[in-house]
């Protein structure tokens, strides 16, 4: 009976860890996408400004 409880606890913990890792992965993907979008928007010309000619 105790061994069955230990096995069930391991299964539940492994499932919880898998879910946690999946959520952490999506969080990292979202953070990377936000960083890339911010990096791109800083390089785009702002509206109402005149671009400076390179000489």
């Amino acid at each position: 009976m105790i061994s069955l409880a230990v096995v069930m606890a391991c299964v539940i913990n492994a499932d919880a860890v898998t879910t946690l890792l999946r959520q952490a992965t999506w969080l990292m993907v979202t953070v990377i996408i936000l960083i890339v979008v911010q990096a791109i928007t800083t390089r785009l010309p702002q509206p109402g400004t005149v671009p400076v000619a390179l000489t």
Side-chain angles (χ1 to χ4, degrees), residues 8-24:
M8 290 302 293
C10 289
V11 169
I12 291 171
N13 286 339
D15 188 39
V17 170
T18 302
T19 303
L20 181 66
L21 289 175
R22 184 175 294 127
Q23 289 176 354

Side-chain angles (χ1 to χ4, degrees), residues 23-42:
Q23 289 176 354
T25 302
W26 281 114
L27 177 65
M28 291 305 299
V29 167
T30 304
V31 168
I32 291 170
I33 289 173
L34 287 174
I35 291 172
V36 168
V37 167
Q38 285 182 347
I40 291 172
T41 56
T42 57

